[in-house]
Amino acid sequence: MTRIIAGSAGSLSLAVPRSGTRPTSDRVREAIFSALESRDAIDGAAVLDLYAGSGALGLEAASRGAAEVVLVERAKPAAEVCRRNTDAVTRALRGNRVRVRVAVRSVAAYLESASGTFDLVFIDPPYELGERALAHDLMLLAPLLSPDAIVVVERSSRSPEPIWPAGIAPERRRDYGETTLWWAGAQPARPSQPE
């Protein structure tokens, strides 16, 4: 069973798609959100949850005070689960002004047409997603990051480090059994040096 761990919708159960997704364990989500709260990175944030599956990561951020959450999921059955979970979480957050929406598109298609910036991004693709596809997603994401944005990439511990594009700088790696979290931040463009 997947649930919201803490915040205004804490303990709320979430539905999970029947197949095609690998929900992030409670242990890993607790570690992610403990680290994010210690950095004061959630309250008022614009959050992007790529390869959302059930939407648990983005909805956890909504429960903990994010201002806006976008859940991107291409698979229609999983996107429908995201919608149901979004409805349940927004009902639990009745007085809060969080905006949550579900984008039923591929990650690349969403990123190619997105506008605005994001403060916090979760990327939890299927483990079988190739490194080149992930690198392409990260390249498309880089211009959409706010100056102090945090990017959390979840991969198999057997996967290599992601290929980080200009605009995203790796910070650290944390392993949790079969799961590895790669933490990165927005890297401002370097001013050109006079010759």
Side-chain angles (χ1 to χ4, degrees):
M1 174 178 80
T2 298
R3 64 186 174 87
I4 298 293
I5 297 167
S8 300
S11 299
L12 182 73
S13 293
L14 298 175
V16 294
R18 290 179 190 243
S19 63
T21 64
R22 175 196 29 76
T24 302
S25 73
D26 282 359
R27 176 179 168 232
V28 173
R29 276 189 296 122
E30 285 178 26
I32 290 170
F33 283 93
S34 175
L36 291 171
E37 285 187 333
S38 74
R39 293 169 76 166
D40 196 26
I42 304 168
D43 195 42
V47 177
L48 182 59
D49 185 350
L50 302 174
Y51 300 97
S54 67
L57 291 169
L59 295 172
E60 183 76 36
S63 179
R64 294 178 187 232
E68 178 182 3
V69 177
V70 180
L71 307 173
V72 180
E73 177 55 58
R74 177 181 67 180
K76 287 187 171 114
E80 184 53 40
V81 169
C82 280
R83 282 195 178 103
R84 288 197 313 268
N85 287 338
T86 295
D87 290 345
V89 168
T90 53
R91 276 194 306 276
L93 299 175
R94 345 174 226 283
N96 300 8
R97 295 201 175 276
V98 63
R99 292 180 310 276
V100 182
R101 66 184 176 95
V102 178
V104 186
R105 304 177 73 184
S106 72
V107 166
Y110 177 82
L111 293 172
E112 287 169 346
S113 64
S115 59
T117 59
F118 295 95
D119 306 307
L120 178 56
V121 181
F122 300 109
I123 306 175
D124 184 10
Y127 281 173
E128 61 272 6
L129 182 79
E131 297 311 309
R132 285 186 179 171
L134 177 59
H136 184 252
D137 292 344
L138 290 167
M139 181 193 68
L140 294 172
L141 173 65
L144 300 172
L145 298 175
S146 66
D148 295 319
I150 297 170
V151 178
V152 181
V153 179
E154 182 175 335
R155 297 295 277 162
S156 165
S157 59
R158 291 170 293 194
S159 297
E161 180 174 358
I163 300 165
W164 303 105
I168 302 178
E171 294 177 359
R172 65 182 186 208
R173 170 189 175 144
R174 293 287 185 265
D175 293 314
Y176 302 89
E178 185 59 29
T179 300
T180 295
L181 297 178
W182 295 96
W183 291 77
Q187 181 180 43
R190 292 188 181 119
S192 56
Q193 298 293 324
E195 293 188 27

